[in-house]
Amino acid sequence: ETGVTQSPTHLIKTRGQQVTLRCSSQSGHNTVSWYQQALGQGPQFIFQYYREEENGRGNFPPRFSGLQFPNYSSELNVNALELDDSALYLCASSSGVNTGELFFGEGSRLTVL
Amino acid sequence: DAKTTQPNSMESNEEEPVHLPCNHSTISGTDYIHWYRQLPSQGPEYVIHGLTSNVNNRMASLAIAEDRKSSTLILHRATLRDAAVYYCILRSTTSGTYKYIFGTGTRLKVLA
C-alpha cells in the first residue's frame, strides 16, 4: 500500500507566476485536503475534496483553487503568486469525510521570489 | 471560526507521562477534537481524536473536559521518539462542509 505522495518536493517561482502542485492519495482514499504551512507556523486548512467536489474551504482567496480527479488524485493551483505564498504545502488523504485519521504527504516546498 | 490555544513548548523526562493541554473555549457541539504530531521535515501524523468521551489508543489517551472547552493529550510514557510538535485541531462541520482548524502547536522536548 503506497502512502500519500506529493510533487514536486521543492520549487521556486517568481511573484505573479502560477504554480500547480500534485498529490496522489493513499490507495482506497476518496477524500483529499490541502494545507499551507508557513515556516515556524502550524498548517492552515485550504480546502477539501470529496469524490471530485470541493466540500470545505478555509480562509484563502479564490486564486487558490483545486481539482480532484476520478482516481482521487488532486491538484492545488495558485495564481498570481505573492511573496507570502512561500510555504510548505501539505496534502492529506482519508477514506471518507467523517473518518478521523488523515494521512499526510511530506509536502511541496514553494519559494516565491 | 473556533480557535485552539496551546503552550508553545513543554519538556518531559523520558519514560514519564506527559500531559499536553489545549483550550478551545469557542468549540461548537459538532466539532471533533483531533491531535496530530509533526517531526522535522515530515508531514503531520495522526495521534488520536474524539468528540465528547475520553479516548484511548495505542499511542495516547485523550481527556476531554465535560464542557468540551479544553482537552488534554496524554502520552503515558514519553520516549525520545515522541519529541515533536503536537497540534490540537478542531474539525468543524457546517451543512456538510468541513474545516480543520489547527492550533499553533506545542513543541515537546523529551530529556534522556
Side-chain angles (χ1 to χ4, degrees):
Chain A
E1 177 180 278
T2 55
V4 177
T5 57
Q6 295 186 242
S7 62
T9 54
H10 294 82
L11 71 166
I12 300 173
K13 292 283 188 178
T14 56
R15 200 169 42 180
Q17 285 189 312
Q18 178 265 343
V19 69
T20 297
L21 307 177
R22 294 178 177 81
C23 173
S24 291
S25 56
Q26 186 160 313
S27 176
H29 287 185
N30 56 18
T31 305
V32 172
S33 51
W34 286 90
Y35 304 80
Q36 180 195 65
Q37 186 173 26
L39 204 59
Q41 305 293 316
Q44 299 295 311
F45 173 68
I46 302 175
F47 43 55
Q48 175 171 283
Y49 279 81
Y50 170 65
R51 293 188 173 181
E52 303 177 60
E53 297 283 334
E54 184 182 295
N55 78 334
R57 191 176 183 93
N59 298 325
F60 280 82
R63 61 189 185 84
F64 286 78
S65 63
L67 281 174
Q68 188 179 29
F69 299 100
N71 67 355
Y72 302 131
S73 66
S74 178
E75 285 182 356
L76 164 65
N77 299 290
V78 187
N79 293 324
L81 284 167
E82 301 176 359
L83 297 180
D84 284 349
D85 296 333
S86 294
L88 180 70
Y89 288 85
L90 294 160
C91 165
S93 74
S94 60
S95 58
V97 293
N98 274 321
T99 184
E101 188 169 358
L102 303 176
F103 292 81
F104 281 83
E106 295 195 343
S108 294
R109 181 157 305 276
L110 171 66
T111 302
V112 181
L113 302 177
Chain B
D1 287 344
K3 184 181 167 182
T4 66
T5 305
Q6 301 176 252
N8 287 335
S9 62
M10 292 183 67
E11 280 188 4
S12 173
N13 293 318
E14 199 176 9
E15 299 197 3
E16 289 189 357
V18 183
H19 287 64
L20 298 166
C22 181
N23 285 317
H24 29 77
S25 58
T26 55
I27 192 171
S28 66
T30 56
D31 290 352
Y32 276 79
I33 301 157
H34 291 233
W35 284 82
Y36 281 73
R37 68 183 187 183
Q38 188 173 26
L39 296 167
S41 302
Q42 293 189 21
E45 174 191 32
Y46 171 79
V47 178
I48 201 166
H49 79 285
L51 183 62
T52 55
S53 305
N54 294 344
V55 185
N56 300 297
N57 66 20
R58 63 174 179 80
M59 287 183 75
S61 295
L62 175 61
I64 301 172
E66 199 169 330
D67 63 6
R68 300 206 330 124
K69 294 185 176 183
S70 65
S71 61
T72 302
L73 177 70
I74 303 163
L75 306 179
H76 295 288
R77 287 182 65 200
T79 69
L80 296 178
R81 288 176 298 179
D82 291 324
V85 178
Y86 286 78
Y87 291 103
C88 170
I89 301 156
L90 297 183
R91 194 203 74 177
S92 69
T93 308
T94 306
S95 303
T97 65
Y98 297 83
K99 276 189 181 183
Y100 291 84
I101 302 157
F102 277 70
T104 51
T106 297
R107 183 173 299 279
L108 176 64
K109 186 174 178 181
V110 180
L111 307 173

